[in-house]
Amino acid sequence: MNGLGRRAELARPSNIALMCDDAADEFVTDALGQFPTTSGVLLVTDDPGFLSDLPDQTRMDFSQAGLDEVPIKLAEVSEHIQAAVGTTRAVAVIIVDMRWGTGTVSATANFERWGGLCDRIAEDAQVSIISVYARSLMIEDQLLAAVRGHSHFLAPSGLYDNPFWLPPAYQTGATISQQIGFVLGRLVPDYENTLSQDDGEASGANPQWITVPRRLRPRVGTDEIWKIRCFGRLRIYLSDGSQIKWDIPGSAPTKTKTLFAYLLQRGEKGAPTDLLAELLWFDEPDETKKRKRLHHAITMLRKTLGGAGYVRRNGSYYTLVPPEGTWIDIATFEQVCNRAKVLAKADKFEDAVTLLDAADRLYSGELFEDLPAAYFENDMENWVVPKRTWFKDMALKVLRDKAAILRKRGQFRDALASCQRALQMDPVCEIAHAEAMRIFHAQNRAEAIVRQYRQFLGAMHAMELEPETETLKKLKSELLKSSS
């Protein structure tokens, strides 16, 4: 058998991924039937119907496993699962319902580390661990993390080696050349013993070369990785779950945070010193003082982040350099929203609602909510408000889209709750008022349609605004006419 199609042994403890369209479909049960025995199963899930027919099973919910913690501490998750294995008789396999990822705002970052965690559980507990992924609920970054993180894939046709996986010994102690040699050896058996030699200093000759191969492997506990939350209060979570503290001695926390946020949104292009100085000290006429203060602020930001390498200087430019694999909520938010639209168009409404809920959890407040307006509402550049408005509009559409799906399914109470949440965020949100009126029409509540329209007019009046269109008035008339 060749490398890509190579069947694997079923008996030895393994770190296995099982990918399917629906976590409850026959594909899953048929795939699990490949195991010699399914007795002694530990199921980690919150769904009572998930694999409920498997014999001799013990169930553990996400809370007991620590998979609903914010932030999730995967080392503790491993301890909880292995403790359950130790107290449960004859566990032959652990099966984890990976839909826990839809309940955490930073699933992509956690999925990056999940494969390495499974390696350790399989080795320490000497049982196979199968991670069941519902493909329809995954965005591309999560799918890529799953592909990298597991040594085997399970399907109804059998168990297969993953040629892109690296064992734990190659994740932490091996050079890039050794990692590449191992991967090539799995793809082409002839290469197994010929390309594993270390190239010494030559392997680090090109800095751009170093970062790419490391993405072949899953994240492990020793890797530093940031989880950056831009919605609401700006904060950075470290790998151990702690937050970076902005108020270190000698710093001006608000300026430090603003400097970080500005460099973050500038990305790889960075920002020149004169622009940064003007951003933070726009009311200081002395250019020399501005530059000195900026150099101090850069020093404080580096100390805050834990290393000089996180803020790189190139001539007159400064660039933020987060750890590789850093997760940012705004990127996942957009991907999840787009994935939900695809599912809704395919009439997969339950899955679409699941992802819309995930998007709603991600949007924990307006973009950079705690940055003073003076740093972006000035003559230099308004670098926050347009993005803030765009993301808020997306968040409102998430709630409207969820309400529309629930209305069509007859879940009127939940649909109205979604509209009300949108109106708490923005009392004059026209699309939320319109959807609420449609829900009342579906309930044959003509008086509620009129009341909702009046609520919209009252909110506009309270904010001293005039309706820009006749859209809602026309909708009200059409709904009332069809109700009579």
Side-chain angles (χ1 to χ4, degrees):
M1 299 180 208
N2 61 33
L4 279 175
R6 190 163 57 192
R7 294 281 289 270
E9 298 177 16
L10 292 166
R12 68 178 188 272
S14 301
N15 165 18
I16 301 167
L18 199 170
M19 296 188 181
C20 55
D21 288 334
D22 186 334
D25 65 13
E26 293 182 359
F27 185 94
V28 177
T29 54
D30 290 347
L32 292 174
Q34 298 296 315
F35 271 78
T37 176
T38 53
S39 63
V41 176
L42 174 63
L43 283 175
V44 183
T45 182
D46 268 1
D47 181 0
F50 178 68
L51 300 177
S52 57
D53 294 334
L54 282 182
D56 196 19
Q57 62 175 255
T58 301
R59 301 182 80 86
M60 182 181 198
D61 62 32
F62 294 153
S63 177
Q64 292 171 318
L67 288 169
D68 61 354
E69 297 290 330
V70 180
I72 290 177
K73 298 180 175 64
L74 291 181
E76 295 182 6
V77 171
S78 176
E79 291 176 4
H80 295 323
I81 291 176
Q82 293 199 56
V85 171
T87 57
T88 303
R89 54 188 177 84
V91 171
V93 63
I94 305 165
I95 302 176
V96 181
D97 180 0
M98 294 300 289
R99 288 177 294 179
W100 62 263
T102 63
T104 173
V105 294
S106 53
T108 301
N110 292 319
F111 278 14
E112 284 279 3
R113 293 174 170 273
W114 181 256
L117 182 81
C118 292
D119 284 329
R120 293 192 294 275
I121 291 177
E123 182 178 355
D124 294 346
Q126 283 299 293
V127 297
S128 289
I129 178 167
I130 303 174
S131 303
V132 181
Y133 293 91
R135 173 66 184 91
S136 62
L137 298 178
M138 299 171 70
I139 59 177
E140 290 182 349
D141 288 348
Q142 295 166 358
L143 181 62
L144 186 59
V147 167
R148 283 196 301 265
H150 302 275
S151 59
H152 299 84
F153 291 104
L154 182 64
S157 60
L159 186 70
Y160 294 85
D161 286 337
N162 174 10
F164 304 106
W165 169 82
L166 287 171
Y170 280 82
Q171 294 171 15
T172 56
T175 65
I176 298 300
S177 295
Q178 290 168 337
Q179 290 178 1
I180 294 171
F182 178 85
V183 170
L184 290 176
R186 286 174 69 88
L187 289 168
V188 184
D190 306 58
Y191 294 167
E192 188 168 1
N193 296 314
T194 61
L195 295 178
S196 60
Q197 298 300 314
D198 187 7
D199 293 332
E201 295 181 0
S203 65
N206 183 353
Q208 296 304 313
W209 170 246
I210 295 174
T211 58
V212 177
R214 286 177 177 163
R215 297 291 285 158
L216 290 170
R217 64 180 176 86
R219 304 291 168 192
V220 295
T222 55
D223 289 342
E224 186 56 83
I225 187 171
W226 292 350
K227 299 177 185 178
I228 304 175
R229 300 297 306 276
C230 301
F231 290 130
R233 180 174 52 84
L234 175 60
R235 58 240 190 250
I236 307 171
Y237 292 92
L238 301 177
S239 301
D240 61 2
S242 64
Q243 286 190 50
I244 283 180
K245 298 184 183 301
W246 300 100
D247 55 344
I248 65 171
S251 71
T254 301
K255 290 187 185 296
T256 302
K257 186 180 291 190
T258 301
L259 180 59
F260 176 87
Y262 189 75
L263 289 174
L264 178 67
Q265 62 91 33
R266 293 281 295 190
E268 293 182 355
K269 61 186 177 183
T273 54
D274 57 348
L275 188 63
L276 295 173
E278 183 65 22
L279 170 75
L280 298 175
W281 293 278
F282 50 86
D283 55 352
E284 171 57 65
D286 190 322
E287 296 298 326
T288 301
K289 287 183 179 179
K290 280 185 181 181
R291 285 194 296 272
K292 287 182 178 179
R293 290 173 180 176
L294 175 62
H295 293 156
H296 177 73
I298 293 290
T299 299
M300 289 297 102
L301 177 58
R302 286 168 168 165
K303 287 184 177 179
T304 297
L305 299 177
Y310 295 132
V311 182
R312 182 175 60 216
R313 182 170 184 175
N314 183 13
S316 62
Y317 273 72
Y318 284 101
T319 305
L320 186 70
V321 187
E324 185 197 354
T326 287
W327 174 87
I328 305 176
D329 57 357
I330 56 178
T332 297
F333 176 74
E334 187 174 358
Q335 290 183 62
V336 169
C337 289
N338 291 336
R339 181 65 184 157
K341 290 178 183 177
V342 171
L343 292 170
K345 287 181 180 179
D347 295 335
K348 295 183 177 181
F349 297 120
E350 185 173 349
D351 287 348
V353 168
T354 297
L355 289 189
L356 290 170
D357 281 338
D360 185 31
R361 283 191 295 272
L362 272 167
Y363 188 81
S364 55
E366 292 190 345
L367 181 70
F368 299 142
E369 192 173 75
D370 55 343
L371 296 188
Y375 291 126
F376 53 82
E377 292 182 352
N378 51 52
D379 295 335
M380 186 190 77
E381 176 188 10
N382 195 327
W383 54 280
V384 172
V385 173
K387 296 182 179 71
R388 178 181 287 177
T389 302
W390 188 80
F391 280 119
K392 185 174 182 179
D393 285 346
M394 281 188 70
L396 292 170
K397 288 175 182 176
V398 161
L399 294 167
R400 187 276 311 273
D401 292 349
K402 177 184 173 183
I405 292 173
L406 294 174
R407 168 174 57 84
K408 293 172 183 176
R409 299 174 68 181
Q411 297 173 249
F412 300 128
R413 179 180 297 180
D414 292 338
L416 280 172
S418 189
C419 288
Q420 289 164 358
R421 173 161 165 72
L423 293 173
Q424 288 172 352
M425 290 168 53
D426 182 3
V428 296
C429 178
E430 192 167 331
I431 61 173
H433 283 288
E435 182 54 38
M437 290 164 64
R438 292 188 180 95
I439 295 167
F440 291 136
H441 176 260
Q443 294 177 303
N444 295 314
R445 296 173 59 188
E447 79 291 346
I449 295 174
V450 175
R451 186 171 63 248
Q452 189 70 39
Y453 180 68
R454 289 175 178 169
Q455 181 182 332
F456 167 70
L457 293 179
M460 295 290 287
H461 178 73
M463 299 182 69
E464 300 182 350
L465 298 172
E466 290 293 333
E468 295 180 1
T469 68
E470 292 292 311
T471 304
L472 272 190
K473 185 177 181 180
K474 182 179 179 181
L475 177 64
K476 180 196 69 170
S477 299
E478 291 174 349
L479 294 176
L480 291 175
K481 183 177 180 180
S482 64
S483 297
S484 58

